[in-house]
Coordinates of all heavy atoms in Angstrom, one line a residue:
Q170 N -209.9 155.2 -145.4 CA -208.6 154.7 -144.8 C -208.8 153.5 -143.9 O -207.8 153.0 -143.4 CB -208.0 155.9 -144.0 CG -207.9 157.2 -144.6 CD -207.1 157.2 -145.9 OE1 -206.1 156.5 -146.0 NE2 -207.5 158.1 -146.8
T171 N -210.0 153.0 -143.7 CA -210.2 151.9 -142.8 C -210.4 150.6 -143.5 O -211.2 150.6 -144.5 CB -211.5 152.2 -141.9 OG1 -211.3 153.5 -141.3 CG2 -211.6 151.2 -140.8
R172 N -209.9 149.6 -143.0 CA -210.0 148.3 -143.6 C -211.4 147.7 -143.2 O -211.8 147.8 -142.0 CB -208.9 147.3 -143.2 CG -207.5 147.8 -143.7 CD -206.4 146.9 -143.2 NE -205.1 147.3 -143.8 CZ -204.4 148.2 -143.3 NH1 -204.7 148.9 -142.3 NH2 -203.2 148.5 -143.9
E173 N -212.0 147.0 -144.1 CA -213.3 146.3 -143.8 C -213.1 145.3 -142.7 O -214.0 145.1 -141.9 CB -213.9 145.7 -145.1 CG -214.2 146.7 -146.2 CD -214.9 146.1 -147.4 OE1 -215.0 144.8 -147.3 OE2 -215.2 146.8 -148.3
T174 N -212.0 144.6 -142.7 CA -211.8 143.6 -141.7 C -211.8 144.2 -140.3 O -212.3 143.6 -139.3 CB -210.5 142.8 -141.9 OG1 -209.4 143.8 -142.0 CG2 -210.5 142.0 -143.2
D175 N -211.2 145.4 -140.1 CA -211.2 146.0 -138.8 C -212.6 146.5 -138.4 O -213.0 146.3 -137.2 CB -210.3 147.3 -138.9 CG -208.8 146.9 -139.1 OD1 -208.5 145.8 -138.6 OD2 -208.1 147.7 -139.7
I176 N -213.4 147.0 -139.4 CA -214.8 147.3 -139.0 C -215.6 146.1 -138.6 O -216.3 146.1 -137.7 CB -215.4 148.1 -140.2 CG1 -214.7 149.4 -140.5 CG2 -216.9 148.3 -139.9 CD1 -215.3 150.1 -141.7
Q177 N -215.4 145.0 -139.4 CA -216.1 143.8 -139.1 C -215.7 143.2 -137.7 O -216.5 142.7 -137.0 CB -215.8 142.7 -140.2 CG -216.6 141.5 -140.1 CD -218.1 141.7 -140.2 OE1 -218.5 142.5 -141.0 NE2 -218.9 141.1 -139.3
M178 N -214.4 143.4 -137.4 CA -214.0 142.9 -136.1 C -214.7 143.6 -134.9 O -215.2 142.9 -134.0 CB -212.5 143.0 -135.9 CG -211.9 142.6 -134.6 SD -210.2 143.0 -134.4 CE -210.2 144.8 -134.3
F179 N -214.7 144.9 -135.0 CA -215.4 145.7 -133.9 C -216.9 145.5 -134.0 O -217.6 145.5 -132.9 CB -215.0 147.1 -134.0 CG -213.6 147.4 -133.5 CD1 -212.6 147.6 -134.4 CD2 -213.4 147.5 -132.2 CE1 -211.3 147.9 -134.0 CE2 -212.1 147.8 -131.7 CZ -211.0 148.0 -132.6
A180 N -217.5 145.3 -135.2 CA -218.9 145.0 -135.3 C -219.2 143.6 -134.6 O -220.2 143.5 -133.9 CB -219.3 145.0 -136.7
D181 N -218.4 142.7 -134.8 CA -218.6 141.4 -134.1 C -218.5 141.5 -132.6 O -219.2 140.9 -131.9 CB -217.6 140.3 -134.7 CG -217.8 140.0 -136.1 OD1 -218.9 140.3 -136.6 OD2 -216.8 139.6 -136.8
I182 N -217.5 142.3 -132.2 CA -217.3 142.5 -130.7 C -218.5 143.2 -130.1 O -219.0 142.8 -129.0 CB -216.1 143.3 -130.4 CG1 -214.8 142.5 -130.9 CG2 -216.0 143.6 -129.0 CD1 -213.5 143.2 -130.8
A183 N -219.1 144.2 -130.9 CA -220.2 145.0 -130.4 C -221.6 144.2 -130.6 O -222.6 144.7 -130.1 CB -220.3 146.3 -131.0
G184 N -221.5 143.1 -131.3 CA -222.8 142.4 -131.6 C -223.6 143.0 -132.7 O -224.9 142.7 -132.7
V185 N -223.1 143.8 -133.5 CA -223.8 144.4 -134.7 C -223.8 143.4 -135.8 O -222.7 143.1 -136.4 CB -223.2 145.7 -135.1 CG1 -223.9 146.3 -136.3 CG2 -223.2 146.7 -133.9
E186 N -224.9 142.9 -136.2 CA -225.0 141.8 -137.2 C -224.8 142.4 -138.6 O -224.1 141.8 -139.4 CB -226.4 141.1 -137.1 CG -226.6 140.4 -135.8 CD -227.9 139.7 -135.7 OE1 -228.7 139.8 -136.7 OE2 -228.2 139.0 -134.7
S187 N -225.4 143.5 -139.0 CA -225.3 144.0 -140.3 C -225.3 145.5 -140.3 O -226.0 146.1 -139.5 CB -226.4 143.4 -141.2 OG -227.7 143.8 -140.7
I188 N -224.7 146.1 -141.3 CA -224.7 147.5 -141.5 C -225.2 147.8 -142.9 O -224.7 147.2 -143.9 CB -223.2 148.1 -141.3 CG1 -222.7 147.8 -139.9 CG2 -223.2 149.6 -141.6 CD1 -221.3 148.2 -139.7
E189 N -226.2 148.7 -143.0 CA -226.8 148.9 -144.3 C -225.9 149.4 -145.4 O -225.9 148.9 -146.5 CB -228.0 149.9 -144.1 CG -229.1 149.4 -143.2 CD -230.2 150.5 -143.0 OE1 -230.0 151.6 -143.6 OE2 -231.1 150.2 -142.3
S190 N -225.0 150.4 -145.0 CA -224.1 151.0 -146.0 C -222.9 151.5 -145.2 O -222.9 151.6 -144.0 CB -224.8 152.2 -146.8 OG -225.1 153.2 -145.9
P191 N -221.8 151.7 -145.9 CA -220.6 152.2 -145.2 C -220.8 153.5 -144.5 O -220.3 153.7 -143.4 CB -219.6 152.4 -146.4 CG -220.0 151.5 -147.4 CD -221.5 151.4 -147.4
Q192 N -221.6 154.4 -145.1 CA -221.9 155.7 -144.4 C -222.8 155.5 -143.2 O -222.8 156.4 -142.3 CB -222.6 156.7 -145.4 CG -221.7 157.3 -146.4 CD -220.7 158.3 -145.7 OE1 -220.9 158.8 -144.7 NE2 -219.6 158.5 -146.4
A193 N -223.5 154.4 -143.1 CA -224.3 154.1 -141.9 C -223.5 153.5 -140.8 O -224.1 153.1 -139.7 CB -225.5 153.2 -142.3
T194 N -222.2 153.3 -140.9 CA -221.4 152.7 -139.9 C -221.4 153.6 -138.7 O -221.1 154.8 -138.8 CB -220.0 152.5 -140.3 OG1 -219.9 151.7 -141.5 CG2 -219.1 151.8 -139.3
P195 N -221.8 153.1 -137.5 CA -221.8 154.0 -136.3 C -220.4 154.5 -135.9 O -219.4 153.7 -136.2 CB -222.4 153.1 -135.2 CG -223.0 152.0 -135.9 CD -222.3 151.8 -137.2
L196 N -220.3 155.7 -135.4 CA -219.0 156.2 -135.0 C -218.3 155.3 -133.9 O -217.1 155.2 -133.9 CB -219.1 157.6 -134.5 CG -219.2 158.7 -135.6 CD1 -219.4 160.1 -135.0 CD2 -218.0 158.7 -136.5
R197 N -219.1 154.7 -133.1 CA -218.5 153.9 -132.0 C -217.8 152.7 -132.6 O -216.9 152.1 -131.9 CB -219.6 153.4 -131.0 CG -220.7 152.5 -131.6 CD -221.8 152.3 -130.7 NE -222.8 151.3 -131.2 CZ -222.8 150.0 -130.9 NH1 -221.8 149.5 -130.1 NH2 -223.7 149.2 -131.4
L198 N -218.1 152.3 -133.8 CA -217.4 151.2 -134.5 C -216.3 151.8 -135.4 O -215.2 151.2 -135.5 CB -218.4 150.4 -135.4 CG -219.5 149.6 -134.6 CD1 -220.3 148.8 -135.6 CD2 -218.9 148.7 -133.5
L199 N -216.6 152.9 -136.1 CA -215.7 153.4 -137.1 C -214.4 154.0 -136.5 O -213.3 153.8 -137.0 CB -216.4 154.5 -137.9 CG -215.6 155.1 -139.1 CD1 -215.1 154.1 -140.0 CD2 -216.4 156.2 -139.8
L200 N -214.6 154.7 -135.3 CA -213.4 155.3 -134.7 C -212.4 154.3 -134.3 O -211.2 154.5 -134.7 CB -213.9 156.1 -133.5 CG -214.4 157.5 -133.8 CD1 -215.0 158.2 -132.6 CD2 -213.4 158.4 -134.5
P201 N -212.7 153.3 -133.5 CA -211.6 152.3 -133.2 C -211.1 151.5 -134.4 O -209.9 151.2 -134.4 CB -212.3 151.4 -132.2 CG -213.8 151.5 -132.4 CD -214.0 152.9 -132.9
A202 N -212.0 151.3 -135.4 CA -211.5 150.6 -136.6 C -210.5 151.5 -137.4 O -209.5 151.0 -137.9 CB -212.7 150.2 -137.4
F203 N -210.8 152.8 -137.4 CA -210.0 153.7 -138.1 C -208.6 153.8 -137.5 O -207.6 153.8 -138.1 CB -210.7 155.1 -138.2 CG -209.8 156.2 -138.7 CD1 -209.4 156.2 -140.1 CD2 -209.3 157.1 -137.9 CE1 -208.6 157.3 -140.5 CE2 -208.5 158.1 -138.3 CZ -208.1 158.2 -139.7
V204 N -208.6 153.9 -136.1 CA -207.3 154.0 -135.4 C -206.5 152.7 -135.6 O -205.3 152.8 -135.8 CB -207.6 154.3 -133.9 CG1 -206.3 154.3 -133.2 CG2 -208.3 155.7 -133.8
T205 N -207.2 151.6 -135.6 CA -206.5 150.3 -135.7 C -205.8 150.2 -137.1 O -204.7 149.8 -137.3 CB -207.4 149.1 -135.5 OG1 -208.0 149.2 -134.2 CG2 -206.7 147.8 -135.7
S206 N -206.6 150.6 -138.1 CA -206.1 150.6 -139.5 C -204.9 151.6 -139.7 O -203.9 151.3 -140.4 CB -207.2 151.0 -140.5 OG -208.2 150.0 -140.5
E207 N -205.0 152.8 -139.0 CA -204.0 153.8 -139.1 C -202.7 153.2 -138.5 O -201.6 153.5 -139.0 CB -204.4 155.1 -138.5 CG -205.4 155.9 -139.3 CD -204.8 156.4 -140.6 OE1 -204.1 157.4 -140.6 OE2 -205.1 155.7 -141.6
L208 N -202.8 152.6 -137.3 CA -201.6 152.0 -136.7 C -200.9 151.0 -137.6 O -199.7 151.0 -137.7 CB -202.0 151.4 -135.3 CG -202.4 152.4 -134.2 CD1 -203.0 151.6 -133.0 CD2 -201.3 153.3 -133.8
K209 N -201.7 150.1 -138.2 CA -201.2 149.1 -139.0 C -200.5 149.7 -140.2 O -199.3 149.3 -140.6 CB -202.2 148.1 -139.5 CG -201.7 147.0 -140.4 CD -202.8 146.0 -140.7 CE -202.3 144.9 -141.6 NZ -203.3 143.9 -142.0
T210 N -201.1 150.7 -140.9 CA -200.5 151.3 -142.0 C -199.2 152.1 -141.7 O -198.2 152.1 -142.4 CB -201.5 152.3 -142.7 OG1 -202.7 151.6 -143.0 CG2 -200.9 153.0 -143.9
A211 N -199.3 152.8 -140.5 CA -198.1 153.5 -140.1 C -196.9 152.6 -139.8 O -195.8 152.9 -140.2 CB -198.4 154.3 -138.8
F212 N -197.1 151.4 -139.2 CA -196.0 150.5 -139.0 C -195.5 149.8 -140.3 O -194.4 149.5 -140.4 CB -196.4 149.4 -138.0 CG -196.3 149.9 -136.6 CD1 -197.4 150.5 -135.9 CD2 -195.1 149.8 -135.9 CE1 -197.3 150.9 -134.6 CE2 -195.0 150.2 -134.6 CZ -196.1 150.8 -133.9
Q213 N -196.4 149.7 -141.3 CA -196.0 149.2 -142.6 C -195.1 150.1 -143.2 O -194.0 149.8 -143.8 CB -197.2 148.9 -143.4 CG -198.0 147.6 -143.0 CD -199.3 147.4 -143.8 OE1 -199.7 148.4 -144.5 NE2 -199.8 146.2 -143.8
I214 N -195.5 151.4 -143.2 CA -194.6 152.5 -143.8 C -193.3 152.5 -143.0 O -192.2 152.7 -143.6 CB -195.3 153.8 -143.8 CG1 -196.6 153.7 -144.7 CG2 -194.4 154.9 -144.3 CD1 -197.4 155.0 -144.7
G215 N -193.4 152.5 -141.7 CA -192.2 152.5 -140.9 C -191.2 151.4 -141.2 O -190.0 151.6 -141.2
F216 N -191.7 150.2 -141.5 CA -190.9 149.0 -141.8 C -190.1 149.3 -143.1 O -188.9 149.0 -143.2 CB -191.8 147.8 -141.9 CG -191.1 146.6 -142.5 CD1 -190.2 145.9 -141.7 CD2 -191.3 146.2 -143.8 CE1 -189.5 144.8 -142.2 CE2 -190.6 145.1 -144.3 CZ -189.7 144.4 -143.5
L217 N -190.8 149.8 -144.1 CA -190.1 150.1 -145.4 C -189.1 151.2 -145.2 O -188.1 151.1 -145.9 CB -191.2 150.5 -146.4 CG -192.2 149.5 -146.8 CD1 -193.2 150.0 -147.8 CD2 -191.6 148.2 -147.4
I218 N -189.3 152.1 -144.3 CA -188.3 153.2 -144.1 C -187.1 152.6 -143.4 O -186.0 153.0 -143.6 CB -188.9 154.3 -143.3 CG1 -190.0 155.1 -144.1 CG2 -187.9 155.3 -142.8 CD1 -190.8 156.1 -143.3
F219 N -187.3 151.7 -142.5 CA -186.2 151.1 -141.7 C -185.2 150.3 -142.5 O -184.0 150.2 -142.2 CB -186.8 150.2 -140.6 CG -186.4 150.6 -139.2 CD1 -187.2 151.2 -138.3 CD2 -185.1 150.4 -138.8 CE1 -186.8 151.6 -137.0 CE2 -184.7 150.7 -137.5 CZ -185.5 151.4 -136.6
I220 N -185.7 149.6 -143.6 CA -184.9 148.7 -144.3 C -183.5 149.2 -144.8 O -182.5 148.7 -144.5 CB -185.7 148.0 -145.4 CG1 -186.8 147.1 -144.9 CG2 -184.7 147.2 -146.4 CD1 -187.6 146.5 -145.9
P221 N -183.5 150.4 -145.5 CA -182.2 150.8 -146.0 C -181.2 151.2 -144.9 O -180.0 151.1 -145.0 CB -182.6 152.1 -146.9 CG -183.9 152.5 -146.4 CD -184.6 151.2 -146.0
F222 N -181.8 151.8 -143.8 CA -180.9 152.2 -142.7 C -180.3 150.9 -142.0 O -179.2 151.0 -141.5 CB -181.7 153.1 -141.7 CG -182.1 154.4 -142.3 CD1 -183.5 154.6 -142.6 CD2 -181.2 155.4 -142.6 CE1 -183.9 155.8 -143.2 CE2 -181.6 156.6 -143.2 CZ -183.0 156.8 -143.5
V223 N -181.1 149.9 -141.9 CA -180.6 148.6 -141.3 C -179.5 148.0 -142.1 O -178.5 147.5 -141.6 CB -181.8 147.6 -141.1 CG1 -181.2 146.3 -140.7 CG2 -182.8 148.1 -140.0
I224 N -179.7 148.1 -143.4 CA -178.6 147.6 -144.4 C -177.3 148.4 -144.1 O -176.2 147.7 -144.1 CB -179.1 147.7 -145.8 CG1 -180.3 146.8 -146.0 CG2 -178.0 147.4 -146.8 CD1 -180.9 146.9 -147.4
I225 N -177.4 149.7 -144.0 CA -176.2 150.5 -143.7 C -175.5 150.0 -142.4 O -174.3 149.9 -142.3 CB -176.5 152.0 -143.7 CG1 -177.0 152.4 -145.1 CG2 -175.3 152.8 -143.3 CD1 -177.4 153.9 -145.2
D226 N -176.4 149.8 -141.4 CA -175.8 149.4 -140.1 C -175.1 148.0 -140.2 O -174.0 147.8 -139.7 CB -176.9 149.3 -139.1 CG -177.4 150.7 -138.6 OD1 -176.6 151.6 -138.7 OD2 -178.6 150.8 -138.2
L227 N -175.7 147.1 -141.0 CA -175.1 145.8 -141.2 C -173.8 145.9 -141.9 O -172.8 145.2 -141.6 CB -176.1 144.9 -141.9 CG -177.4 144.4 -141.1 CD1 -178.3 143.6 -142.0 CD2 -177.0 143.6 -139.9
V228 N -173.8 146.7 -143.0 CA -172.5 146.8 -143.8 C -171.4 147.4 -142.9 O -170.3 146.9 -142.9 CB -172.8 147.7 -145.0 CG1 -171.5 148.0 -145.7 CG2 -173.7 147.0 -146.0
V229 N -171.7 148.5 -142.2 CA -170.7 149.1 -141.3 C -170.2 148.1 -140.3 O -169.0 148.0 -140.0 CB -171.3 150.4 -140.7 CG1 -170.3 151.0 -139.7 CG2 -171.5 151.4 -141.8
A230 N -171.2 147.4 -139.6 CA -170.8 146.5 -138.6 C -169.9 145.4 -139.2 O -168.9 144.9 -138.5 CB -172.0 145.9 -137.9
S231 N -170.2 144.9 -140.4 CA -169.4 143.8 -141.0 C -168.0 144.3 -141.3 O -167.0 143.6 -141.1 CB -170.1 143.3 -142.3 OG -171.3 142.8 -142.0
V232 N -167.9 145.6 -141.8 CA -166.6 146.1 -142.1 C -165.7 146.3 -140.9 O -164.5 146.0 -140.9 CB -166.7 147.5 -142.9 CG1 -165.4 148.2 -143.1 CG2 -167.4 147.3 -144.2

Side-chain angles (χ1 to χ4, degrees):
Q170 311 299 329
T171 307
R172 297 175 176 82
E173 294 182 0
T174 54
D175 293 329
I176 297 178
Q177 186 61 45
M178 177 186 67
F179 285 100
D181 294 338
I182 295 174
V185 178
E186 297 182 357
S187 61
I188 300 175
E189 297 179 358
S190 63
Q192 284 292 337
T194 305
L196 281 177
R197 66 188 183 94
L198 299 181
L199 182 57
L200 279 175
F203 171 73
V204 174
T205 303
S206 297
E207 285 295 280
L208 290 173
K209 182 177 181 179
T210 303
F212 277 93
Q213 288 176 340
I214 297 175
F216 171 76
L217 296 177
I218 293 174
F219 234 108
I220 291 177
F222 298 108
V223 170
I224 293 176
I225 294 177
D226 287 333
L227 290 175
V228 171
V229 171
S231 299
V232 172

